[in-house]
Amino acid sequence: MAKRDQENEPGSSASEADSPFGAPVTIALSDSIDLHPFQPRDIPSVVEEYLEQCMRSGFTEVRLIHGKGKGVQRNIVRSLLSKHPAVRSFREAPVEAGGWGSTIVVLKR
């Protein structure tokens, strides 16, 4: 289906038309998530959903891999974590787990 046809289709949005996927992508849940594949605008919702699913699955500690770079992504992630009701604490990951390119999050039970 051409992009033009998708835009005119009921229930279709511009973001769906721009997506290379026909449906949401399901990722196997583990104690870490690499945020590199996600668009920066999607990071807050991805982190929110990830933390919610981890809580439901009984995880008490997880690692968010945001990368080192200039620290923009890290600041976005940590700002979200500082306000999130499910987060007990968070800290820089040890060197062997990514150092300042990852954040360890301790979740409330």
Side-chain angles (χ1 to χ4, degrees):
M1 182 180 302
K3 184 175 180 180
R4 184 174 192 78
D5 293 336
Q6 286 179 326
E7 290 173 349
N8 295 328
E9 187 176 306
S12 180
S13 70
S15 64
E16 289 173 349
D18 294 337
S19 174
F21 305 103
V25 178
T26 303
I27 300 171
L29 190 63
S30 72
D31 65 350
S32 68
I33 185 170
D34 186 348
L35 300 173
H36 287 98
F38 300 99
Q39 292 292 322
R41 69 177 181 265
D42 296 331
I43 297 299
S45 62
V46 168
V47 171
E48 289 271 351
E49 181 65 23
Y50 174 72
L51 294 176
E52 183 178 320
Q53 294 301 320
C54 286
M55 291 272 306
R56 287 183 183 169
S57 296
F59 287 96
T60 56
E61 188 171 289
V62 296
R63 180 171 57 123
L64 303 175
I65 304 166
H66 41 70
K68 295 180 179 178
K70 295 179 182 179
V72 174
Q73 205 76 317
R74 178 179 62 247
N75 292 338
I76 292 169
V77 167
R78 291 184 177 182
S79 174
L80 182 124
L81 294 174
S82 69
K83 301 171 194 161
H84 199 286
V87 174
R88 178 176 304 224
S89 65
F90 59 91
R91 65 186 181 281
E92 184 175 293
V95 174
E96 63 274 9
W100 55 280
S102 295
T103 298
I104 303 294
V105 182
V106 178
L107 301 169
K108 295 178 182 175
R109 291 187 182 242

